[in-house]
Amino acid sequence: MQIEYDVPIPMSDGTILRANVFRPIGDGEFPVLMSYGPYGKDLPFQDAYPRQFDAMVKAHPEIAVGTTGKHQVWELADPERWVPLGYALVRVDARGSGRSPGFIDSFASQETRDFYECIEWGGTQPWSNGKVGLSGISYYAINQWAVAALQPPHLAAICPWEGMVDWYRDANYHGGIPSSFFPRLYGVQIETVQHGLGTRGQKNERLGVLVSGDVDLGEDELGARRADVAQELRQHPFIDSYWRDRSADLSKVHVPVLSAGNWGGQALHLRGNIAGFVESASEQKWLEVHGEAHWTLYYSDYGVDLQRRFFDYFLKDEGDWSHEQPPVSLNIRHPDETFELRAEQEWPIARTDWTTYYLDAADNALSLDPRPQPSEITYEPFGPGVTLLTPAFEEATEITGPVAAKLFVSSESEDTDLFLVLHLIDPDGAEVLFEGATEPRHPLSQGWLRASHRALDSARSLPYQPVHPHDAAVPLVPGETYELDVEIWPTCIVVPPGCRIALSVLGRDFDHGREGLPTAYGVEMRGSGVNVHDDPVARSADVYNRPVTLRSGGAHPSYLLLPVVPPA
């Protein structure tokens, strides 16, 4: 393949961004697969993330077949696998990152406008056929939705793989509860490849290239050239223009979409992929949901074939994707972490039997029958909480779709945080955990709500998915009972006979209690991944660890709503 490094892409304000271009040998016009992001276009995957790379290749050895891996980088397509398929790959270092100068302001409108201009550049090069597709994982997926809403003329299709669409709800304020995820990632994965680190930064020894540019800037100057993410997030606890500027307007996304999510992407990489599919205005859109680790299937034969057929159709006018691919493709999960690929026509699945399990606080039970007698249980939020269980299932039962809960609670404080955890319990009473997108072992699903954010958006809320505007906080009156509707993120499991479903109500992040697991961004992987809510100021014990009482039965019919899916 032909490779051009550090190709200049001029922005309208005079800034020059840098891109690497990989394309087939010889003359010709080729469809373009583009990515734009801050992780360093010249930073090799296996050097920067050796543990993840080795695990990925062990799980799917075909990833290493037919490629040297020399040009493989974190969360982006491998050109040695895609250029032979007749594509030109363009990787752009985002403004202020890698070898592109400028100010880093993640997901802000300037980044989106830069991406727009890069797409138009790629669509008008002499080696381009005029059709640009977008490909990439996580950050490289999130910004696809945003730039698609700007409707660049040369954008022909997007494939956001495990991203998000709502920067507030999907990543930083789960149910209004602040997460420390992005500030941690920012310090580890973005600041470390900021343009201007020069010789103090990382080097691609294979290419002899300084990942963060050839200029050495001082620490003060580097700090002045990037947003203070942690401070900004603290300054915007409610949805305002800051969040709207960084979240996609799905009503303006009309381009063909293949949205790929992960059942294990709790608190980061699932809700947004489904919302993008459901809410985008595109008439040509498809949803796929899978399991395994966050970065793995994108590179596998399964993932490459799925993406290739999609892009071949919309960028090359080849194949019959629109007729052969069902609108929804779900990898149905079993407790042994095997999957069965199944076609569906919509999300949620139309034949879903929405099943209500009523809470019985007296017996720590979940029952199909409403509890006529009132009962209650009081717990310490930072302690073990309350866990309620269904009876054992008598036959194999599939649960696939969004989950919701309505809880009646009171607190001795002016506010409280609800952390809801959905579990699968085996016949011996042990929890079955699953491989997550960014967490080795996680529960079936999780949901969150800060009680002072309990107001509902009546126009958007559905029985199975409450939506909160998060535009103000209304404190609780200590001791008064409140009705709280909690969104629990979608899940999928075939429950075997003899197993049970459990719901835990906590005031802290889920912790499975197992030891010896790895860390990421300084966080030990204990069931909630890196998406923890541990800010001691935003979650002070004086407010959020005061006793909470959960009520059920009678005038307080707390319940869990599960999406039971009968066979087609």
Side-chain angles (χ1 to χ4, degrees):
M1 58 188 173
Q2 302 181 68
I3 308 175
E4 299 172 86
Y5 298 105
D6 277 353
V7 177
I9 304 180
M11 298 293 100
S12 56
D13 67 351
T15 300
I16 303 296
L17 304 185
R18 298 289 175 176
N20 291 349
V21 178
F22 308 82
R23 52 193 175 93
I25 295 290
D27 296 331
E29 296 180 353
F30 308 100
V32 178
L33 288 185
M34 180 175 284
S35 60
Y36 173 105
Y39 295 160
K41 63 181 175 59
D42 299 295
L43 184 60
F45 191 150
Q46 56 269 55
D47 293 349
Y49 309 97
R51 178 176 60 82
Q52 291 90 337
F53 184 85
D54 291 345
M56 176 179 72
V57 174
K58 182 179 180 180
H60 291 275
E62 75 272 16
I63 292 173
V65 175
T67 175
T68 66
K70 179 179 179 180
H71 302 287
Q72 197 165 357
V73 301
W74 176 250
E75 299 188 330
L76 292 178
D78 183 354
E80 291 185 70
R81 299 196 77 185
W82 281 91
V83 171
L85 299 176
Y87 288 88
L89 263 64
V90 178
R91 292 175 176 163
V92 185
D93 272 338
R95 181 182 292 248
S97 301
R99 298 182 65 83
S100 293
F103 183 86
I104 301 175
D105 195 1
S106 293
F107 303 116
S109 55
Q110 179 64 64
E111 263 203 359
T112 308
R113 174 54 58 177
D114 286 347
F115 201 178
Y116 178 107
E117 295 186 19
C118 290
I119 291 168
E120 291 307 289
W121 178 89
T124 55
Q125 295 305 297
W127 38 260
S128 169
N129 74 349
K131 294 183 177 182
V132 179
L134 305 182
S135 175
I137 307 172
S138 192
Y139 198 112
Y140 301 101
I142 300 165
N143 58 17
Q144 291 183 41
W145 296 105
V147 75
L150 297 185
Q151 302 176 8
H154 289 89
L155 182 60
I158 65 172
C159 180
W161 195 282
E162 298 192 30
M164 67 187 75
V165 296
D166 187 325
W167 192 223
Y168 185 95
R169 295 178 178 90
D170 291 354
N172 290 293
Y173 277 84
H174 299 116
I177 306 171
S179 168
S180 59
F181 158 71
F182 192 64
R184 283 192 168 102
L185 176 143
Y186 193 80
V188 172
Q189 286 192 248
I190 296 178
E191 289 184 17
T192 55
V193 292
Q194 182 177 356
H195 181 78
L197 281 169
T199 56
R200 305 194 312 282
Q202 302 174 76
K203 185 176 182 180
N204 185 326
E205 298 292 348
R206 296 172 178 82
L207 303 178
V209 173
L210 294 173
V211 171
S212 298
D214 300 322
V215 61
D216 287 329
L217 300 177
E219 291 302 320
D220 288 345
E221 191 167 1
L222 286 172
R225 295 190 181 197
R226 63 177 182 256
D228 186 340
V229 166
Q231 181 66 15
E232 288 183 353
L233 297 184
R234 282 193 293 267
Q235 291 173 342
H236 297 275
F238 307 110
I239 294 179
D240 56 16
S241 60
Y242 174 86
W243 297 103
R244 288 188 286 271
D245 183 53
R246 288 160 173 77
S247 298
D249 183 349
L250 296 174
S251 70
K252 296 180 179 178
V253 175
H254 295 278
V255 70
V257 174
L258 169 58
S259 179
N262 191 317
W263 297 124
Q266 302 300 323
L268 195 59
H269 291 313
L270 176 59
R271 184 186 188 278
N273 280 100
I274 291 174
F277 168 75
V278 173
E279 299 176 26
S280 66
S282 177
E283 295 182 358
Q284 297 177 297
K285 55 185 179 179
W286 290 264
L287 174 67
E288 185 271 354
V289 190
H290 51 264
E292 300 194 29
H294 172 44
W295 49 85
T296 302
L297 286 184
Y298 174 84
Y299 295 98
S300 71
D301 281 354
Y302 168 83
V304 170
D305 176 70
L306 184 71
Q307 297 167 75
R308 180 189 58 78
R309 291 188 294 109
F310 173 71
F311 285 127
D312 279 358
Y313 186 80
F314 288 107
L315 273 61
K316 291 182 175 183
D317 298 319
E318 294 179 1
D320 195 23
W321 167 273
S322 65
H323 293 97
E324 66 184 19
Q325 186 70 18
V328 176
S329 298
L330 304 178
N331 287 274
I332 304 302
R333 183 169 60 180
H334 293 260
D336 61 357
E337 297 194 88
T338 58
F339 296 86
E340 296 176 68
L341 183 61
R342 191 177 74 212
E344 296 290 349
Q345 297 302 307
E346 67 286 302
W347 180 275
I349 299 169
R351 65 182 182 280
T352 299
D353 178 10
W354 299 101
T355 304
T356 301
Y357 280 89
Y358 294 92
L359 276 63
D360 185 342
D363 293 332
N364 286 356
L366 296 168
S367 172
L368 291 171
D369 299 318
R371 303 286 86 183
Q373 296 300 319
S375 60
E376 62 183 49
I377 187 169
T378 299
Y379 64 92
E380 299 292 332
F382 290 5
V386 177
T387 298
L388 307 101
L389 295 96
T390 68
F393 283 76
E394 296 180 357
E395 58 185 11
T397 303
E398 180 185 330
I399 297 171
T400 297
V403 182
K406 182 185 291 289
L407 302 180
F408 291 85
V409 303
S410 64
S411 172
E412 293 185 12
S413 176
E414 67 269 23
D415 206 354
T416 193
D417 288 340
L418 295 182
F419 291 71
L420 304 191
V421 185
L422 200 66
H423 313 270
L424 176 66
I425 307 298
D426 72 16
D428 295 325
E431 180 174 9
V432 180
L433 296 172
F434 302 87
E435 181 176 24
T438 57
E439 157 64 52
R441 310 309 296 167
H442 78 99
L444 276 180
S445 189
Q446 299 188 59
W448 306 263
L449 181 65
R450 174 155 285 185
S452 60
H453 288 229
R454 62 191 176 277
L456 286 171
D457 183 335
S458 58
R460 297 178 61 193
S461 291
L462 297 165
Y464 53 79
Q465 187 174 27
V467 178
H468 304 273
H470 298 296
D471 54 5
V474 180
L476 307 179
V477 175
E480 185 171 323
T481 300
Y482 292 88
E483 179 179 339
L484 305 179
D485 292 279
V486 187
E487 175 187 11
I488 301 175
W489 282 28
T491 191
C492 175
I493 188 64
V494 177
V495 181
C499 290
R500 295 182 290 175
I501 295 293
L503 174 69
S504 289
V505 183
L506 304 163
R508 57 167 176 79
D509 288 302
F510 169 72
D511 184 339
H512 54 49
R514 304 185 186 188
E515 303 295 338
L517 292 169
T519 62
Y521 311 131
V523 178
E524 189 174 4
M525 302 288 96
R526 304 187 64 82
S528 295
V530 297
N531 308 290
V532 293
H533 309 78
D534 57 358
D535 187 325
V537 176
R539 286 195 13 87
S540 69
D542 288 345
V543 174
Y544 294 98
N545 196 30
R546 303 288 296 279
V548 173
T549 299
L550 173 64
R551 292 184 166 84
S552 64
H556 302 118
S558 296
Y559 65 78
L560 172 70
L561 184 66
L562 291 180
V564 175
V565 179

